[in-house]
Amino acid sequence: MEATTVTRFAPSPTGLLHLGHAFSALTAYCAAREAGGRFLLRIEDIDPVRCKPVFAQALFDDLRWLGLTWEEPVRFQSAHGADYAAALEILREMGLLYPCFCTRKEIGALAAPQENDDAGPVYPGTCRDLSAQAREALAQTRPHVWRLDMARACARAGALFWHDAAKGEVRADPARFGDVVLARKDVPTSYHLSVTVDDALQGVTCVTRGEDLFAATDIHRLLQALLCLPTPRYRHHALLRDATGRRFAKRDKALTLRSLREAGKTPRDVRAMVGFGDLSL
Ligand code: GLU
């Protein structure tokens, strides 16, 4: 029997939701509804500097106003550090993590330019083979992050594939990202780790999200293999653009759901603006 479809919308509360978010949330919502499944909302608030409770509250209000409903309780990532720490510990015990003491500046000077989107430069591996003594000495004076030893991780996982609704079977190539950071001192997890752990813990079967995260799915697929987590199906949707072809961003104040609502638009108007005009809620 086919498992119940479970989708989710997983915003970070770093600003007010805009039309792009409405499109993404409605895409996930409708995918669940069409399949007679479940829709979840998850608040990705691991970064205490950029995420604000006031934006989490605003996004609940805006999504409700838009006509969406979701299952309670909503998972706030900031309340689940223990789950991410447990996953990190598994990877550490497998010998796949190492502490990296390099500063951003040092990495920028050494690293090969990254071919991928906005993932930053590929780490040149400076700290990968430090001796235990060198690590201890550096730890006295410098903070560190935890990096995945990508070559070892890929060797351990073997060939990996995932399924995208538009592209079909995709062969994962996480190696091109190099030794990605999985935890920091100030944020003891990372987007890649927490999203992978949460999608599994919440039983998400279909990840719908913007195509800007298409490449990152290769890393998530690798983490699933290493942590023995199930692999959901993926549906990466196009990003909405404004009239000049620019992606909507939180800086586009006039296109926040809040300002559209204040300007007199109805929820149905806003749904229609992002292509969901026929939806009856
Ligand atoms: N929290 C991410 C964002 O707001 C989305 C993560 C995901 O859907 O996987 O961009």
Side-chain angles (χ1 to χ4, degrees), residues 19-20 22-23 26 240 248 269-277:
L19 279 179
F23 176 66
L26 284 160
L240 285 195
F248 288 132
D269 293 337
V270 172
R271 295 198 301 264
M273 286 170 82
V274 294
F276 287 86

Side-chain angles (χ1 to χ4, degrees), residues 202-216:
Q202 295 192 284
V204 172
T205 64
C206 178
V207 171
T208 62
R209 60 183 174 200
E211 64 189 6
D212 53 331
L213 293 168
F214 186 95

Side-chain angles (χ1 to χ4, degrees), residues 12 27 52 79 82 88 98 113 139 154 170 205 240 251 273:
S12 300
T27 300
K52 305 267 182 278
L88 271 181
Y98 65 87
C154 287
V170 178
T205 64
L240 285 195
R251 61 177 179 268
M273 286 170 82

